[in-house]
Protein backbone atom coordinates (compact mmCIF):
# COMPACT_ATOMS: atom_id res chain seq x y z
CA UNK A 1 0.00 0.00 0.00
CA UNK A 2 1.35 3.39 -0.99
CA UNK A 3 1.53 6.01 1.72
CA UNK A 4 -0.22 9.33 1.18
CA UNK A 5 2.15 12.12 0.27
CA UNK A 6 2.98 14.39 3.18
CA UNK A 7 1.87 18.01 2.97
CA UNK A 8 4.95 20.24 2.79
CA UNK A 9 5.38 22.25 5.95
CA UNK A 10 5.71 25.46 3.93
CA UNK A 11 2.33 24.86 2.28
CA UNK A 12 0.74 24.01 5.61
CA UNK A 13 2.21 27.14 7.16
CA UNK A 14 0.94 29.32 4.31
CA UNK A 15 -2.53 27.84 4.70
CA UNK A 16 -2.58 28.49 8.45
CA UNK A 17 -1.32 32.03 7.93
CA UNK A 18 -4.03 32.66 5.32
CA UNK A 19 -6.70 31.32 7.64
CA UNK A 20 -5.46 33.48 10.51
CA UNK A 21 -5.47 36.56 8.26
CA UNK A 22 -8.99 35.83 6.95
CA UNK A 23 -10.50 35.10 10.36
CA UNK A 24 -8.71 37.63 12.58
CA UNK A 25 -7.49 40.52 10.45
CA UNK A 26 -9.66 40.98 7.37
CA UNK A 27 -12.88 39.91 9.11
CA UNK A 28 -12.40 42.84 11.50
CA UNK A 29 -11.02 45.40 9.01
CA UNK A 30 -14.29 47.28 8.53
CA UNK A 31 -14.50 49.78 5.69
CA UNK A 32 -16.86 52.49 4.56
CA UNK A 33 -17.41 52.57 0.80
CA UNK A 34 -18.71 55.77 -0.74
CA UNK A 35 -20.65 56.13 -3.97
CA UNK A 36 -22.20 59.02 -5.85
CA UNK A 37 -25.50 57.98 -7.43
CA UNK A 38 -26.79 60.44 -10.08
CA UNK A 39 -30.46 59.67 -9.58
CA UNK A 40 -32.00 63.04 -8.62
CA UNK A 41 -33.53 65.69 -10.82
CA UNK A 42 -31.31 68.66 -11.72
CA UNK A 43 -31.42 71.31 -9.01
CA UNK A 44 -32.27 68.96 -6.13
CA UNK A 45 -30.07 69.02 -3.06
CA UNK A 46 -27.93 65.86 -2.52
CA UNK A 47 -28.88 63.47 0.29
CA UNK A 48 -26.87 60.67 1.89
CA UNK A 49 -28.06 57.13 2.53
CA UNK A 50 -26.09 54.87 4.87
CA UNK A 51 -26.68 51.21 4.06
CA UNK A 52 -25.95 48.53 6.65
CA UNK A 53 -26.32 44.84 5.91
CA UNK A 54 -25.48 41.33 7.10
CA UNK A 55 -24.01 42.09 10.51
CA UNK A 56 -24.84 38.52 11.68
CA UNK A 57 -24.20 39.91 15.13
CA UNK A 58 -23.32 37.81 18.15
CA UNK A 59 -23.01 39.45 21.58
CA UNK A 60 -19.23 39.23 21.84
CA UNK A 61 -18.32 41.14 18.67
CA UNK A 62 -17.15 44.31 20.38
CA UNK A 63 -15.05 45.58 17.47
CA UNK A 64 -18.01 45.39 15.11
CA UNK A 65 -20.39 46.96 17.63
CA UNK A 66 -18.07 49.89 18.29
CA UNK A 67 -17.38 50.44 14.59
CA UNK A 68 -21.09 50.59 13.76
CA UNK A 69 -21.59 53.07 16.62
CA UNK A 70 -18.90 55.27 15.09
CA UNK A 71 -20.99 55.62 11.92
CA UNK A 72 -23.30 57.95 13.83
CA UNK A 73 -20.71 60.67 13.21
CA UNK A 74 -21.66 60.59 9.51
CA UNK A 75 -25.13 61.97 10.31
CA UNK A 76 -26.74 60.38 7.23
CA UNK A 77 -30.10 61.61 5.97
CA UNK A 78 -31.42 58.03 5.90
CA UNK A 79 -30.25 54.66 7.22
CA UNK A 80 -31.29 51.47 5.41
CA UNK A 81 -30.74 48.07 7.04
CA UNK A 82 -31.05 45.31 4.44
CA UNK A 83 -31.21 42.42 6.87
CA UNK A 84 -29.40 39.47 8.46
CA UNK A 85 -28.67 41.66 11.47
CA UNK A 86 -28.43 38.96 14.17
CA UNK A 87 -27.01 35.47 14.57
CA UNK A 88 -27.70 34.70 18.23
CA UNK A 89 -30.81 34.68 20.47
CA UNK A 90 -29.21 37.29 22.76
CA UNK A 91 -28.03 39.59 19.97
CA UNK A 92 -30.89 42.12 19.87
CA UNK A 93 -29.74 44.29 22.84
CA UNK A 94 -26.14 44.51 21.51
CA UNK A 95 -27.46 45.32 18.04
CA UNK A 96 -29.64 48.14 19.32
CA UNK A 97 -26.65 49.40 21.30
CA UNK A 98 -24.59 49.37 18.09
CA UNK A 99 -27.32 51.21 16.19
CA UNK A 100 -28.09 53.68 18.99
CA UNK A 101 -26.30 56.70 17.43
CA UNK A 102 -28.14 56.03 14.15
CA UNK A 103 -31.62 55.33 15.48
CA UNK A 104 -32.31 59.05 15.81
CA UNK A 105 -31.97 59.34 12.02
CA UNK A 106 -34.78 58.34 9.63
CA UNK A 107 -34.45 54.63 8.90
CA UNK A 108 -35.88 51.62 7.08
CA UNK A 109 -35.35 47.89 7.49
CA UNK A 110 -36.16 44.52 5.98
CA UNK A 111 -35.39 41.07 7.33
CA UNK A 112 -33.04 38.42 6.01
CA UNK A 113 -33.42 34.70 6.65
CA UNK A 114 -30.81 34.82 9.41
CA UNK A 115 -32.90 37.28 11.38
CA UNK A 116 -35.43 34.47 11.77
CA UNK A 117 -33.43 31.25 11.69
CA UNK A 118 -30.38 30.62 13.84
CA UNK A 119 -27.23 29.65 11.95
CA UNK A 120 -26.20 25.98 11.89
CA UNK A 121 -22.89 24.34 10.97
CA UNK A 122 -22.57 23.78 7.20
CA UNK A 123 -19.89 22.72 4.79
CA UNK A 124 -18.98 26.07 3.17
CA UNK A 125 -17.68 24.31 0.05
CA UNK A 126 -21.21 23.37 -0.98
CA UNK A 127 -21.89 27.00 -1.93
CA UNK A 128 -19.71 26.28 -4.97
CA UNK A 129 -22.48 24.17 -6.52
CA UNK A 130 -25.68 25.35 -4.82
CA UNK A 131 -27.15 28.28 -2.90
CA UNK A 132 -28.43 28.12 0.67
CA UNK A 133 -32.04 28.66 -0.48
CA UNK A 134 -34.28 26.23 1.37
CA UNK A 135 -31.83 25.58 4.20
CA UNK A 136 -33.96 27.59 6.65
CA UNK A 137 -37.21 25.68 6.18
CA UNK A 138 -37.60 24.69 9.80
CA UNK A 139 -40.66 24.47 11.98
CA UNK A 140 -39.61 27.25 14.36
CA UNK A 141 -37.73 30.43 13.59
CA UNK A 142 -35.34 30.30 16.57
CA UNK A 143 -34.24 33.93 16.62
CA UNK A 144 -36.14 36.88 18.19
CA UNK A 145 -36.99 38.64 14.91
CA UNK A 146 -40.11 40.23 16.39
CA UNK A 147 -38.03 41.78 19.21
CA UNK A 148 -35.50 42.90 16.61
CA UNK A 149 -38.15 44.62 14.50
CA UNK A 150 -39.88 46.15 17.50
CA UNK A 151 -36.60 47.68 18.71
CA UNK A 152 -35.93 49.41 15.40
CA UNK A 153 -39.58 50.42 14.92
CA UNK A 154 -39.71 51.92 18.42
CA UNK A 155 -37.03 54.37 17.31
CA UNK A 156 -39.10 55.34 14.29
CA UNK A 157 -37.52 53.13 11.62
CA UNK A 158 -40.04 51.78 9.12
CA UNK A 159 -40.61 48.05 8.70
CA UNK A 160 -40.56 47.63 4.91
CA UNK A 161 -41.22 43.89 4.66
CA UNK A 162 -43.75 43.49 1.82
CA UNK A 163 -45.08 47.01 2.11
CA UNK A 164 -44.78 50.56 0.79
CA UNK A 165 -44.34 53.92 2.51
CA UNK A 166 -43.58 57.61 1.95
CA UNK A 167 -40.81 59.20 3.96
CA UNK A 168 -39.13 62.60 4.13
CA UNK A 169 -35.37 62.36 3.51
CA UNK A 170 -33.61 65.70 3.62
CA UNK A 171 -35.55 67.84 1.15
CA UNK A 172 -36.85 64.81 -0.72
CA UNK A 173 -40.22 63.11 -0.69
CA UNK A 174 -39.24 59.44 -1.06
CA UNK A 175 -41.56 56.60 -2.04
CA UNK A 176 -40.27 53.27 -0.71
CA UNK A 177 -41.22 49.73 -1.64
CA UNK A 178 -39.79 46.81 0.28
CA UNK A 179 -40.02 43.02 0.32
CA UNK A 180 -39.18 40.26 2.77
CA UNK A 181 -36.43 37.75 1.99
CA UNK A 182 -36.86 35.79 -1.23
CA UNK A 183 -34.27 33.30 0.01
CA UNK A 184 -36.90 31.82 2.32
CA UNK A 185 -39.85 32.49 0.00
CA UNK A 186 -41.28 35.25 2.18
CA UNK A 187 -41.10 37.89 -0.54
CA UNK A 188 -44.54 39.02 -1.70
CA UNK A 189 -43.96 41.49 -4.48
CA UNK A 190 -47.62 41.13 -5.39
CA UNK A 191 -48.47 43.07 -2.21
CA UNK A 192 -46.56 46.15 -3.42
CA UNK A 193 -46.92 45.71 -7.19
CA UNK A 194 -47.91 48.64 -9.37
CA UNK A 195 -46.31 51.83 -10.59
CA UNK A 196 -44.35 53.68 -7.92
CA UNK A 197 -45.71 57.20 -7.28
CA UNK A 198 -44.50 59.46 -10.06
CA UNK A 199 -44.84 62.56 -7.88
CA UNK A 200 -42.14 61.33 -5.47
CA UNK A 201 -38.69 62.92 -5.70
CA UNK A 202 -37.13 59.47 -5.38
CA UNK A 203 -38.48 55.94 -5.71
CA UNK A 204 -36.46 53.51 -3.57
CA UNK A 205 -36.70 49.70 -3.58
CA UNK A 206 -35.36 47.69 -0.62
CA UNK A 207 -34.78 43.92 -0.33
CA UNK A 208 -32.39 41.50 1.33
CA UNK A 209 -31.47 39.09 -1.45
CA UNK A 210 -30.84 40.61 -4.91
CA UNK A 211 -32.87 38.16 -6.97
CA UNK A 212 -33.09 39.36 -10.59
CA UNK A 213 -36.80 38.49 -10.90
CA UNK A 214 -37.67 40.92 -8.10
CA UNK A 215 -35.23 43.58 -9.27
CA UNK A 216 -36.85 43.45 -12.70
CA UNK A 217 -40.28 44.01 -11.12
CA UNK A 218 -38.99 46.96 -9.08
CA UNK A 219 -37.43 48.56 -12.16
CA UNK A 220 -40.54 47.97 -14.26
CA UNK A 221 -42.63 49.72 -11.60
CA UNK A 222 -40.41 52.80 -11.79
CA UNK A 223 -38.16 52.39 -8.73
CA UNK A 224 -34.94 54.29 -9.44
CA UNK A 225 -32.57 52.93 -6.77
CA UNK A 226 -32.54 49.36 -5.42
CA UNK A 227 -30.68 48.35 -2.25
CA UNK A 228 -29.84 44.75 -1.29
CA UNK A 229 -27.35 42.69 0.71
CA UNK A 230 -27.14 38.93 1.33
CA UNK A 231 -24.19 38.07 -0.93
CA UNK A 232 -21.39 39.02 1.50
CA UNK A 233 -19.65 40.15 -1.69
CA UNK A 234 -18.72 36.49 -2.19
CA UNK A 235 -17.03 36.49 1.25
CA UNK A 236 -14.03 34.50 0.02
CA UNK A 237 -12.75 35.95 -3.24
CA UNK A 238 -9.76 35.40 -5.49
CA UNK A 239 -7.61 38.48 -6.15
CA UNK A 240 -7.96 39.73 -9.75
CA UNK A 241 -10.83 37.28 -10.30
CA UNK A 242 -13.43 38.18 -7.70
CA UNK A 243 -16.21 36.24 -6.06
CA UNK A 244 -16.57 32.52 -6.62
CA UNK A 245 -20.26 32.50 -5.68
CA UNK A 246 -23.14 34.91 -5.03
CA UNK A 247 -25.50 32.57 -3.10
CA UNK A 248 -28.45 33.86 -5.15
CA UNK A 249 -29.49 34.50 -8.73
CA UNK A 250 -27.40 37.62 -9.35
CA UNK A 251 -24.28 37.33 -11.50
CA UNK A 252 -20.77 37.49 -10.02
CA UNK A 253 -20.01 40.84 -11.67
CA UNK A 254 -22.65 42.53 -9.52
CA UNK A 255 -22.04 40.66 -6.29
CA UNK A 256 -21.24 43.94 -4.53
CA UNK A 257 -21.11 47.65 -5.25
CA UNK A 258 -23.04 49.93 -7.56
CA UNK A 259 -24.31 48.78 -10.94
CA UNK A 260 -27.46 48.89 -13.03
CA UNK A 261 -30.47 46.62 -13.39
CA UNK A 262 -32.62 47.62 -16.32
CA UNK A 263 -33.54 51.29 -15.75
CA UNK A 264 -32.65 51.29 -12.03
CA UNK A 265 -29.44 51.76 -10.11
CA UNK A 266 -28.59 48.76 -7.93
CA UNK A 267 -26.36 48.74 -4.87
CA UNK A 268 -25.46 45.41 -3.28
CA UNK A 269 -23.66 45.63 0.05
CA UNK A 270 -20.94 43.12 0.84
CA UNK A 271 -22.07 43.42 4.45
CA UNK A 272 -20.28 43.61 7.75
CA UNK A 273 -20.39 40.10 9.18
CA UNK A 274 -20.22 36.38 8.56
CA UNK A 275 -21.94 33.30 9.89
CA UNK A 276 -20.38 32.40 13.24
CA UNK A 277 -19.69 28.98 11.69
CA UNK A 278 -17.70 30.46 8.80
CA UNK A 279 -15.90 33.43 10.41
CA UNK A 280 -13.57 34.31 7.55
CA UNK A 281 -13.30 36.90 4.79
CA UNK A 282 -10.65 36.94 2.12
CA UNK A 283 -10.15 39.66 -0.52
CA UNK A 284 -13.60 40.91 0.47
CA UNK A 285 -13.47 43.38 3.34
CA UNK A 286 -16.54 43.87 5.56
CA UNK A 287 -18.24 47.11 4.66
CA UNK A 288 -20.99 49.64 5.11
CA UNK A 289 -21.83 52.01 2.26
CA UNK A 290 -22.55 55.72 2.14
CA UNK A 291 -24.52 56.54 -1.01
CA UNK A 292 -24.68 60.23 -1.89
CA UNK A 293 -27.64 60.81 -4.19
CA UNK A 294 -26.80 63.65 -6.55
CA UNK A 295 -28.60 65.28 -9.49
CA UNK A 296 -28.17 63.94 -12.95
CA UNK A 297 -26.33 66.26 -15.26
CA UNK A 298 -28.67 68.28 -17.42
CA UNK A 299 -29.33 66.39 -20.59
CA UNK A 300 -28.56 62.96 -19.10
CA UNK A 301 -31.30 60.40 -19.59
CA UNK A 302 -32.71 58.41 -16.69
CA UNK A 303 -31.31 55.31 -18.34
CA UNK A 304 -27.68 56.51 -18.24
CA UNK A 305 -25.62 53.50 -17.13
CA UNK A 306 -22.63 55.27 -15.55
CA UNK A 307 -21.75 54.64 -11.91
CA UNK A 308 -19.23 56.38 -9.69
CA UNK A 309 -17.44 55.12 -6.60
CA UNK A 310 -15.83 57.80 -4.45
CA UNK A 311 -12.56 56.64 -2.90
Amino acid sequence: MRKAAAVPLSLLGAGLAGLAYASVIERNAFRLRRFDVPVLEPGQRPVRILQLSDLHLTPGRRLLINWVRSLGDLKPDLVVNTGDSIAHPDAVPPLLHALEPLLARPGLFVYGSNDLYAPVPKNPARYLWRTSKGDSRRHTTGLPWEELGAGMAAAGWLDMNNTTARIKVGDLDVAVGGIHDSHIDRDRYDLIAGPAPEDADLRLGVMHSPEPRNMTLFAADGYQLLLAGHTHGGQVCIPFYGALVTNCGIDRARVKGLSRHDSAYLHVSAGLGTSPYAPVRFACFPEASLLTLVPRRRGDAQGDTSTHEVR
Side-chain angles (χ1 to χ4, degrees):
M1 179 182 299
R2 296 180 61 185
K3 293 184 179 180
V7 177
L9 289 178
S10 59
L11 183 60
L12 179 61
L16 292 174
L19 180 61
Y21 165 81
S23 61
V24 177
I25 298 176
E26 185 164 324
R27 177 173 171 252
N28 293 300
F30 311 112
R31 294 186 172 184
L32 180 69
R33 296 184 77 190
R34 299 171 184 261
F35 295 89
D36 283 347
V37 189
V39 72
L40 303 181
E41 292 294 331
Q44 290 181 321
R45 183 177 300 177
V47 299
R48 299 187 304 160
I49 298 177
L50 175 66
Q51 183 184 355
L52 305 174
S53 198
D54 297 271
L55 276 76
H56 293 275
L57 191 66
T58 54
R61 296 213 60 196
R62 301 305 310 173
L63 291 176
L64 175 55
I65 291 169
N66 290 336
W67 191 83
V68 172
R69 286 184 63 86
S70 75
L71 296 175
D73 294 340
L74 297 172
K75 295 181 170 53
D77 298 292
L78 177 68
V79 184
V80 178
N81 179 357
T82 45
D84 275 5
S85 298
I86 57 174
H88 190 280
D90 298 328
V92 173
L95 176 74
L96 295 178
H97 175 67
L99 295 177
E100 182 183 14
L102 296 166
L103 289 174
R105 319 298 300 181
L108 314 168
F109 67 92
V110 292
Y111 296 124
S113 62
N114 291 127
D115 292 320
L116 283 71
Y117 298 97
V120 295
K122 301 174 186 176
N123 175 11
R126 68 181 183 167
Y127 289 111
L128 295 173
W129 64 83
R130 53 159 291 187
T131 74
S132 60
K133 186 174 175 63
D135 289 354
S136 296
R137 288 173 183 162
R138 307 173 217 168
H139 295 297
T140 57
T141 54
L143 288 179
W145 61 273
E146 292 173 307
E147 179 187 352
L148 168 67
M152 291 185 286
W157 285 16
L158 300 183
D159 181 343
M160 295 307 305
N161 291 284
N162 298 326
T163 192
T164 60
R166 298 286 282 261
I167 185 173
K168 190 75 171 176
V169 179
D171 294 333
L172 301 183
D173 172 28
V174 179
V176 187
I179 54 174
H180 207 307
D181 190 5
S182 59
H183 217 58
I184 50 175
D185 298 321
R186 295 201 177 210
D187 55 319
R188 290 287 308 277
Y189 195 89
D190 59 295
L191 297 179
I192 69 167
E198 292 186 0
D199 61 339
D201 297 316
L202 174 71
R203 298 176 292 280
L204 176 67
V206 183
M207 70 203 88
H208 177 64
S209 180
E211 288 295 342
R213 60 179 172 82
N214 282 325
M215 298 189 302
T216 296
L217 293 171
F218 273 114
D221 278 341
Y223 288 92
Q224 301 158 286
L225 174 61
L226 312 179
L227 303 182
H230 175 70
T231 65
H232 295 192
Q235 189 166 326
V236 176
C237 299
I238 297 177
F240 309 109
Y241 177 80
L244 297 174
V245 296
T246 68
N247 196 26
C248 64
I250 200 171
D251 52 285
R252 291 190 310 104
R254 298 186 295 166
V255 71
K256 66 178 179 179
L258 188 65
S259 63
R260 295 302 294 252
H261 187 86
D262 297 340
S263 60
Y265 282 93
L266 167 69
H267 181 263
V268 179
S269 171
L272 283 163
T274 67
S275 166
Y277 295 107
V280 296
R281 278 182 177 259
F282 189 80
C284 186
F285 287 91
E287 67 180 39
S289 298
L290 188 66
L291 310 175
T292 300
L293 310 189
V294 299
R296 299 190 303 274
R297 290 174 300 181
R298 294 188 185 277
D300 281 354
Q302 177 64 39
D304 175 38
T305 58
S306 62
T307 60
H308 181 206
E309 179 173 2
V310 181
R311 297 294 182 179

